[in-house]
Amino acid sequence: MGGVTIVNVLPRLLGTYGDSGNELALGHRLRARGIDVECVRVEPGAPIPEHGDIYLLGGGEDRAQALAAHLIGRGLMGPVDRGATVLAVCAGYQILGTSFTDSAGHTHPGLGLLDVETRPLAERAVGDTVVEPFIPVGTLVGFENHRGGTTLGADARPLGRVVRGVGNGPIDRGPGRRPRRGHARKVVASASPSDGTEGAWQGRVFGTYLHGPVLALNPAFADHLLSLVVGELPALDDEYAARARTHRLPPA
Ligand code: GLN
């Protein structure tokens, strides 16, 4: 195929957590395989290009998140209908859902591209996260920092099961159990049901709570997304990612 167009949607609003590194990771992995890459960064007020192959949304604070949802409006509908791949992280993930309620209790309409809904957890979920995925991308590692917890509807499937951290919502430890020390703070009460899952996907639209940036730390996930666009890819030397992952993976 020709080149791949990566559209980084509103990184100035959804860039608090370094998630633009996902654009760099994808660009690197394509160029290393001899595939041309065009990267477009969408500025506030600019239209979202229709011709992208992969759209990226990052994390952000509540106010920036609400503004980003308003600015995007229906701007991702056409690309998703056309079969473009989308990866959205944290605030971006929440925006893709049907609605999200911020920590002040204000409910905002989402873009309706993922059948998920977000409401505040009892307390902020912060810390390293490890996820055993349900898709073939190897153990996922990352960092989470969010107040919202996400409930999946019938059309969305979880990315994986949380081994460490909070992900979509609190892991139900039964009445009276407190979180173990030394882990990411586990939330024990929430407005949303707890199922111990992380992220969601539906067609070619993926959402996750993992920062890191997630695609730099999880090259198999990056290649999974790229393979949806360009087909099967030759392996790369991922020594740097492997080294970064060893600090986050539980001991074998
Ligand atoms: N504002 C959202 C929350 O706190 C998303 C935060 C983020 O993107 N890290 O849930």
PDB file of all heavy atoms in Angstrom, residues 7-13 40-49 55 72:
ATOM      1  N   VAL A   7      -3.624  10.620  12.299  1.00  0.00           N
ATOM      2  CA  VAL A   7      -4.206  11.901  12.711  1.00  0.00           C
ATOM      3  C   VAL A   7      -4.220  11.950  14.240  1.00  0.00           C
ATOM      4  O   VAL A   7      -4.859  11.122  14.893  1.00  0.00           O
ATOM      5  CB  VAL A   7      -5.639  12.064  12.161  1.00  0.00           C
ATOM      6  CG1 VAL A   7      -6.218  13.408  12.607  1.00  0.00           C
ATOM      7  CG2 VAL A   7      -5.642  11.962  10.635  1.00  0.00           C
ATOM      8  N   ASN A   8      -3.481  12.886  14.791  1.00  0.00           N
ATOM      9  CA  ASN A   8      -3.422  13.084  16.239  1.00  0.00           C
ATOM     10  C   ASN A   8      -4.446  14.168  16.567  1.00  0.00           C
ATOM     11  O   ASN A   8      -4.273  15.333  16.203  1.00  0.00           O
ATOM     12  CB  ASN A   8      -1.993  13.494  16.619  1.00  0.00           C
ATOM     13  CG  ASN A   8      -1.740  13.407  18.110  1.00  0.00           C
ATOM     14  OD1 ASN A   8      -2.658  13.216  18.888  1.00  0.00           O
ATOM     15  ND2 ASN A   8      -0.487  13.566  18.490  1.00  0.00           N
ATOM     16  N   VAL A   9      -5.539  13.760  17.229  1.00  0.00           N
ATOM     17  CA  VAL A   9      -6.691  14.646  17.396  1.00  0.00           C
ATOM     18  C   VAL A   9      -6.524  15.512  18.653  1.00  0.00           C
ATOM     19  O   VAL A   9      -6.481  15.005  19.772  1.00  0.00           O
ATOM     20  CB  VAL A   9      -7.996  13.814  17.493  1.00  0.00           C
ATOM     21  CG1 VAL A   9      -9.200  14.733  17.665  1.00  0.00           C
ATOM     22  CG2 VAL A   9      -8.161  12.934  16.252  1.00  0.00           C
ATOM     23  N   LEU A  10      -6.381  16.808  18.433  1.00  0.00           N
ATOM     24  CA  LEU A  10      -6.327  17.807  19.510  1.00  0.00           C
ATOM     25  C   LEU A  10      -5.287  17.506  20.584  1.00  0.00           C
ATOM     26  O   LEU A  10      -5.595  17.514  21.787  1.00  0.00           O
ATOM     27  CB  LEU A  10      -7.722  17.952  20.151  1.00  0.00           C
ATOM     28  CG  LEU A  10      -8.825  18.452  19.212  1.00  0.00           C
ATOM     29  CD1 LEU A  10     -10.199  18.355  19.893  1.00  0.00           C
ATOM     30  CD2 LEU A  10      -8.564  19.878  18.762  1.00  0.00           C
ATOM     31  N   PRO A  11      -4.034  17.263  20.183  1.00  0.00           N
ATOM     32  CA  PRO A  11      -3.019  16.954  21.205  1.00  0.00           C
ATOM     33  C   PRO A  11      -2.786  18.093  22.191  1.00  0.00           C
ATOM     34  O   PRO A  11      -2.324  17.865  23.307  1.00  0.00           O
ATOM     35  CB  PRO A  11      -1.757  16.659  20.378  1.00  0.00           C
ATOM     36  CG  PRO A  11      -1.989  17.293  19.053  1.00  0.00           C
ATOM     37  CD  PRO A  11      -3.476  17.261  18.823  1.00  0.00           C
ATOM     38  N   ARG A  12      -3.147  19.334  21.788  1.00  0.00           N
ATOM     39  CA  ARG A  12      -2.964  20.441  22.739  1.00  0.00           C
ATOM     40  C   ARG A  12      -3.951  20.362  23.893  1.00  0.00           C
ATOM     41  O   ARG A  12      -3.680  20.856  24.984  1.00  0.00           O
ATOM     42  CB  ARG A  12      -3.153  21.775  22.022  1.00  0.00           C
ATOM     43  CG  ARG A  12      -1.905  22.160  21.272  1.00  0.00           C
ATOM     44  CD  ARG A  12      -1.697  23.636  21.356  1.00  0.00           C
ATOM     45  NE  ARG A  12      -1.904  24.214  20.041  1.00  0.00           N
ATOM     46  CZ  ARG A  12      -1.864  25.504  19.826  1.00  0.00           C
ATOM     47  NH1 ARG A  12      -1.728  26.344  20.814  1.00  0.00           N
ATOM     48  NH2 ARG A  12      -2.017  25.947  18.601  1.00  0.00           N
ATOM     49  N   LEU A  13      -5.119  19.755  23.642  1.00  0.00           N
ATOM     50  CA  LEU A  13      -6.103  19.588  24.712  1.00  0.00           C
ATOM     51  C   LEU A  13      -5.983  18.211  25.363  1.00  0.00           C
ATOM     52  O   LEU A  13      -6.185  18.059  26.565  1.00  0.00           O
ATOM     53  CB  LEU A  13      -7.524  19.745  24.142  1.00  0.00           C
ATOM     54  CG  LEU A  13      -7.893  21.141  23.662  1.00  0.00           C
ATOM     55  CD1 LEU A  13      -9.228  21.115  22.935  1.00  0.00           C
ATOM     56  CD2 LEU A  13      -7.955  22.107  24.842  1.00  0.00           C
ATOM     57  N   VAL A  40      -0.716  14.160  10.941  1.00  0.00           N
ATOM     58  CA  VAL A  40      -1.484  15.406  10.983  1.00  0.00           C
ATOM     59  C   VAL A  40      -1.881  15.651  12.426  1.00  0.00           C
ATOM     60  O   VAL A  40      -2.453  14.773  13.069  1.00  0.00           O
ATOM     61  CB  VAL A  40      -2.761  15.303  10.121  1.00  0.00           C
ATOM     62  CG1 VAL A  40      -3.520  16.622  10.139  1.00  0.00           C
ATOM     63  CG2 VAL A  40      -2.429  14.874   8.698  1.00  0.00           C
ATOM     64  N   ARG A  41      -1.555  16.816  12.935  1.00  0.00           N
ATOM     65  CA  ARG A  41      -1.993  17.180  14.293  1.00  0.00           C
ATOM     66  C   ARG A  41      -3.143  18.170  14.172  1.00  0.00           C
ATOM     67  O   ARG A  41      -2.975  19.227  13.560  1.00  0.00           O
ATOM     68  CB  ARG A  41      -0.843  17.786  15.078  1.00  0.00           C
ATOM     69  CG  ARG A  41       0.233  16.755  15.363  1.00  0.00           C
ATOM     70  CD  ARG A  41       1.248  17.211  16.379  1.00  0.00           C
ATOM     71  NE  ARG A  41       2.072  16.050  16.720  1.00  0.00           N
ATOM     72  CZ  ARG A  41       2.830  15.966  17.790  1.00  0.00           C
ATOM     73  NH1 ARG A  41       2.894  16.963  18.635  1.00  0.00           N
ATOM     74  NH2 ARG A  41       3.527  14.889  18.030  1.00  0.00           N
ATOM     75  N   VAL A  42      -4.271  17.838  14.738  1.00  0.00           N
ATOM     76  CA  VAL A  42      -5.458  18.690  14.626  1.00  0.00           C
ATOM     77  C   VAL A  42      -5.422  19.732  15.742  1.00  0.00           C
ATOM     78  O   VAL A  42      -5.395  19.394  16.933  1.00  0.00           O
ATOM     79  CB  VAL A  42      -6.750  17.849  14.729  1.00  0.00           C
ATOM     80  CG1 VAL A  42      -7.969  18.752  14.608  1.00  0.00           C
ATOM     81  CG2 VAL A  42      -6.769  16.760  13.669  1.00  0.00           C
ATOM     82  N   GLU A  43      -5.412  20.998  15.347  1.00  0.00           N
ATOM     83  CA  GLU A  43      -5.417  22.094  16.319  1.00  0.00           C
ATOM     84  C   GLU A  43      -6.858  22.466  16.659  1.00  0.00           C
ATOM     85  O   GLU A  43      -7.761  22.258  15.840  1.00  0.00           O
ATOM     86  CB  GLU A  43      -4.702  23.326  15.717  1.00  0.00           C
ATOM     87  CG  GLU A  43      -3.235  23.115  15.404  1.00  0.00           C
ATOM     88  CD  GLU A  43      -2.395  22.908  16.660  1.00  0.00           C
ATOM     89  OE1 GLU A  43      -2.797  23.384  17.744  1.00  0.00           O
ATOM     90  OE2 GLU A  43      -1.340  22.248  16.550  1.00  0.00           O
ATOM     91  N   PRO A  44      -7.097  23.037  17.851  1.00  0.00           N
ATOM     92  CA  PRO A  44      -8.456  23.448  18.213  1.00  0.00           C
ATOM     93  C   PRO A  44      -9.038  24.387  17.145  1.00  0.00           C
ATOM     94  O   PRO A  44      -8.373  25.328  16.716  1.00  0.00           O
ATOM     95  CB  PRO A  44      -8.261  24.188  19.545  1.00  0.00           C
ATOM     96  CG  PRO A  44      -7.011  23.604  20.119  1.00  0.00           C
ATOM     97  CD  PRO A  44      -6.131  23.270  18.940  1.00  0.00           C
ATOM     98  N   GLY A  45     -10.230  24.110  16.711  1.00  0.00           N
ATOM     99  CA  GLY A  45     -10.892  24.938  15.694  1.00  0.00           C
ATOM    100  C   GLY A  45     -10.694  24.437  14.281  1.00  0.00           C
ATOM    101  O   GLY A  45     -11.436  24.819  13.374  1.00  0.00           O
ATOM    102  N   ALA A  46      -9.684  23.603  14.051  1.00  0.00           N
ATOM    103  CA  ALA A  46      -9.433  23.071  12.697  1.00  0.00           C
ATOM    104  C   ALA A  46     -10.309  21.835  12.476  1.00  0.00           C
ATOM    105  O   ALA A  46     -10.621  21.106  13.424  1.00  0.00           O
ATOM    106  CB  ALA A  46      -7.966  22.701  12.551  1.00  0.00           C
ATOM    107  N   PRO A  47     -10.711  21.599  11.229  1.00  0.00           N
ATOM    108  CA  PRO A  47     -11.507  20.397  10.970  1.00  0.00           C
ATOM    109  C   PRO A  47     -10.660  19.140  11.108  1.00  0.00           C
ATOM    110  O   PRO A  47      -9.442  19.180  10.924  1.00  0.00           O
ATOM    111  CB  PRO A  47     -11.960  20.592   9.516  1.00  0.00           C
ATOM    112  CG  PRO A  47     -10.977  21.546   8.918  1.00  0.00           C
ATOM    113  CD  PRO A  47     -10.434  22.395  10.032  1.00  0.00           C
ATOM    114  N   ILE A  48     -11.316  18.043  11.414  1.00  0.00           N
ATOM    115  CA  ILE A  48     -10.609  16.762  11.503  1.00  0.00           C
ATOM    116  C   ILE A  48     -10.521  16.176  10.102  1.00  0.00           C
ATOM    117  O   ILE A  48     -11.551  16.025   9.429  1.00  0.00           O
ATOM    118  CB  ILE A  48     -11.349  15.805  12.456  1.00  0.00           C
ATOM    119  CG1 ILE A  48     -11.307  16.397  13.871  1.00  0.00           C
ATOM    120  CG2 ILE A  48     -10.738  14.410  12.416  1.00  0.00           C
ATOM    121  CD1 ILE A  48     -12.051  15.617  14.899  1.00  0.00           C
ATOM    122  N   PRO A  49      -9.310  15.891   9.615  1.00  0.00           N
ATOM    123  CA  PRO A  49      -9.188  15.365   8.257  1.00  0.00           C
ATOM    124  C   PRO A  49      -9.967  14.062   8.086  1.00  0.00           C
ATOM    125  O   PRO A  49     -10.014  13.246   9.000  1.00  0.00           O
ATOM    126  CB  PRO A  49      -7.691  15.110   8.091  1.00  0.00           C
ATOM    127  CG  PRO A  49      -7.020  15.734   9.234  1.00  0.00           C
ATOM    128  CD  PRO A  49      -8.028  16.007  10.301  1.00  0.00           C
ATOM    129  N   TYR A  55      -6.563   7.283  13.829  1.00  0.00           N
ATOM    130  CA  TYR A  55      -6.849   8.491  14.603  1.00  0.00           C
ATOM    131  C   TYR A  55      -6.471   8.222  16.053  1.00  0.00           C
ATOM    132  O   TYR A  55      -6.817   7.172  16.605  1.00  0.00           O
ATOM    133  CB  TYR A  55      -8.336   8.866  14.499  1.00  0.00           C
ATOM    134  CG  TYR A  55      -8.709   9.343  13.112  1.00  0.00           C
ATOM    135  CD1 TYR A  55      -8.858   8.427  12.074  1.00  0.00           C
ATOM    136  CD2 TYR A  55      -8.861  10.692  12.830  1.00  0.00           C
ATOM    137  CE1 TYR A  55      -9.158   8.860  10.789  1.00  0.00           C
ATOM    138  CE2 TYR A  55      -9.165  11.128  11.552  1.00  0.00           C
ATOM    139  CZ  TYR A  55      -9.312  10.217  10.535  1.00  0.00           C
ATOM    140  OH  TYR A  55      -9.600  10.640   9.265  1.00  0.00           O
ATOM    141  N   ILE A  72     -14.729  18.090  18.678  1.00  0.00           N
ATOM    142  CA  ILE A  72     -14.717  16.943  17.749  1.00  0.00           C
ATOM    143  C   ILE A  72     -16.109  16.743  17.152  1.00  0.00           C
ATOM    144  O   ILE A  72     -16.255  16.500  15.949  1.00  0.00           O
ATOM    145  CB  ILE A  72     -14.238  15.655  18.460  1.00  0.00           C
ATOM    146  CG1 ILE A  72     -12.792  15.813  18.898  1.00  0.00           C
ATOM    147  CG2 ILE A  72     -14.371  14.443  17.523  1.00  0.00           C
ATOM    148  CD1 ILE A  72     -12.312  14.727  19.879  1.00  0.00           C
TER     149      ILE A  72
END
